[in-house]
Amino acid sequence: MPIIKSNYRPSTLFRNGFYSTVYSGIIRKVDFSKIDSKRERLTLSDGDFIDLDWDFSNKKSDKLLLMLHGLEGDSKRAYMLGSSKLFNSKNFTIGRMNFRGCSGEENALFRSYHSGATSDLAEVIQHILAQKQFKEIYLLGFSLGANVILKYLGESDVLPVEIKAAVAVSVPCYLEGSANSLVSLKNLPYAIRFKRNLIKTLRAKQKKFPEQITKSDIKKIKTLIDFDDVYTSKAHGFENARDYYSRSSSLQFLPSINIPTLILNAKNDSFLSEECYPIKEAKENPNLFLEIPEYGGHVGFHLNGEYYYNEIRALEFIENHST
């Protein structure tokens, strides 16, 4: 598909990528008090669990929006709640998926989640399909969760017919490039925050699984790439961080996506490397739509009003491709 020309024009303050990223990730609040929600715990095939938060519209709906959050995020992040609230107003049922260990309770196994963990998404979708409630399923992912969705769509030989379209926001579809960007000086504040939270989680795992990782192993972790070398790769069957990035990047799977899919990546997103703007792949795949706004930072597409640009664009794209 031709590249989509973006009409996103935020106010002057939000044209700064750092400000828009920080404001949207830390300061933004969404009033979710009037949304009817409930939590469901899904036991996975390996004995672990995932928590799903369900949001229901006033009318029974056969349309589902399934959302996946980003690294060290959860279902209650503002970008998840904002999207849910908007789609809820349009009579969608919403499923906000928490990755393993991200719902406020430590997961049961040494492994957790990662950028290429599509098997968990597949299990959640099969669980949903078994309910025989939804005729249309749409996928919406942010950052790491967006990479999982794109990889799932492209690697699957046959998708469930109920899955109609998808939207990927601020997606690091070339993981090695994004990892190198995150450990660069320009992203030092983000890297420090991510690393601190990841190390905290890993120390809890070390106490529970001392035979699989030692305190000295954790001390070796100086950067986010080190974290993927020491923990992510070893816990999930990869040789090292480079192998993990190579096999889990969704970029290589984009040519095989065969449902309408929108990628929304801001040009001033400091988390993304040049390879994360898949212009060639979008031009060659009629199902792949790529929009590259000048502004937006990382999941920071602020607009004056209740909803963000990425939320409005996701709804517009999905409604345009609804059956």
Side-chain angles (χ1 to χ4, degrees):
M1 274 289 171
I3 308 305
I4 297 173
K5 184 177 180 179
S6 183
N7 61 9
Y8 175 56
R9 296 292 182 271
S11 60
T12 302
L13 188 60
F14 287 94
R15 295 181 185 183
N16 180 286
F18 179 80
Y19 184 83
S20 63
T21 300
V22 172
Y23 179 91
S24 303
I26 298 177
I27 301 173
R28 184 193 183 193
K29 305 297 180 186
V30 176
D31 181 4
F32 212 63
S33 58
K34 296 181 180 179
I35 304 297
D36 179 20
S37 300
K38 75 171 186 179
R39 174 161 288 188
E40 176 189 15
R41 176 155 294 183
L42 172 62
T43 300
L44 300 169
S45 58
D46 62 5
D48 212 344
F49 68 89
I50 276 179
D51 286 330
L52 300 170
D53 289 323
W54 294 96
D55 306 324
F56 304 97
S57 62
N58 293 326
K59 300 177 182 178
K60 187 174 181 179
S61 175
D62 62 2
K63 298 185 295 184
L64 170 70
L65 177 72
L66 180 61
M67 293 196 294
L68 280 67
H69 61 77
L71 178 67
E72 289 301 283
D74 56 56
S75 64
K76 296 180 180 179
R77 292 299 171 100
Y79 58 79
M80 298 282 278
L81 299 182
S83 297
S84 177
K85 190 173 182 180
L86 178 59
F87 275 82
N88 190 275
S89 72
K90 299 298 182 179
N91 200 35
F92 283 77
T93 297
I94 316 299
R96 290 178 283 126
M97 174 178 160
N98 292 278
F99 288 114
R100 300 185 192 217
C102 293
S103 57
E105 182 177 338
E106 198 177 332
N107 68 303
L109 303 182
F110 180 62
R111 65 154 296 176
S112 54
Y113 70 100
H114 63 83
S115 297
T118 53
S119 59
D120 286 355
L121 174 59
E123 282 203 53
V124 169
I125 289 173
Q126 288 305 312
H127 169 70
I128 290 168
L129 291 174
Q131 301 174 24
K132 300 186 183 302
Q133 178 181 345
F134 301 106
K135 294 180 181 178
E136 302 175 27
I137 297 175
Y138 301 92
L139 305 178
L140 172 58
F142 302 89
S143 196
L144 179 149
N147 187 78
V148 172
I149 285 174
L150 295 179
K151 181 172 177 283
Y152 167 80
L153 295 176
E155 72 183 3
S156 305
D157 292 332
V158 181
L159 286 175
V161 296
E162 291 85 354
I163 300 178
K164 304 300 183 182
V167 177
V169 179
S170 300
V171 54
C173 54
Y174 182 68
L175 293 175
E176 184 170 354
S178 287
N180 290 332
S181 293
L182 270 173
V183 299
S184 65
L185 186 60
K186 65 180 179 180
N187 284 315
L188 185 60
Y190 306 120
I192 291 173
R193 182 182 176 89
F194 279 134
K195 182 190 165 190
R196 182 177 65 242
N197 294 337
L198 289 166
I199 291 294
K200 180 180 177 181
T201 301
L202 189 54
R203 285 194 176 119
K205 281 197 175 294
Q206 192 278 323
K207 292 178 181 178
K208 193 173 180 180
F209 302 97
E211 73 286 354
Q212 292 182 263
I213 190 167
T214 66
K215 292 180 180 179
S216 61
D217 289 330
I218 296 176
K219 288 181 179 179
K220 296 175 185 175
I221 299 174
K222 306 301 181 185
T223 69
L224 293 173
I225 294 176
D226 293 338
F227 181 88
D228 289 333
D229 252 331
V230 170
Y231 172 70
T232 310
S233 59
K234 303 300 189 294
H236 301 96
F238 301 100
E239 183 178 346
N240 50 34
R242 184 179 290 267
D243 182 46
Y244 158 54
Y245 300 147
S246 175
R247 291 163 57 186
S248 298
S249 293
S250 61
L251 181 63
Q252 62 200 305
F253 298 100
L254 298 184
S256 301
I257 291 178
N258 59 10
I259 64 166
T261 300
L262 171 66
I263 294 176
L264 181 66
N265 279 357
K267 188 174 289 186
N268 71 342
D269 186 340
S270 65
F271 289 22
L272 305 183
S273 66
E274 181 181 351
E275 298 89 346
C276 294
Y277 302 91
I279 294 173
K280 177 177 179 291
E281 288 78 4
K283 287 182 176 179
E284 295 178 354
N285 185 343
N287 294 300
L288 199 59
F289 299 76
L290 176 62
E291 181 176 344
I292 309 175
E294 289 286 333
Y295 313 106
H298 194 71
V299 197
F301 298 91
H302 178 274
L303 284 177
N304 293 326
E306 186 171 12
Y307 300 113
Y308 270 35
Y309 178 76
N310 58 281
E311 294 157 3
I312 295 169
R313 278 293 289 126
L315 178 64
E316 178 183 70
F317 183 82
I318 284 173
E319 287 189 329
N320 285 343
H321 293 93
S322 174
T323 57

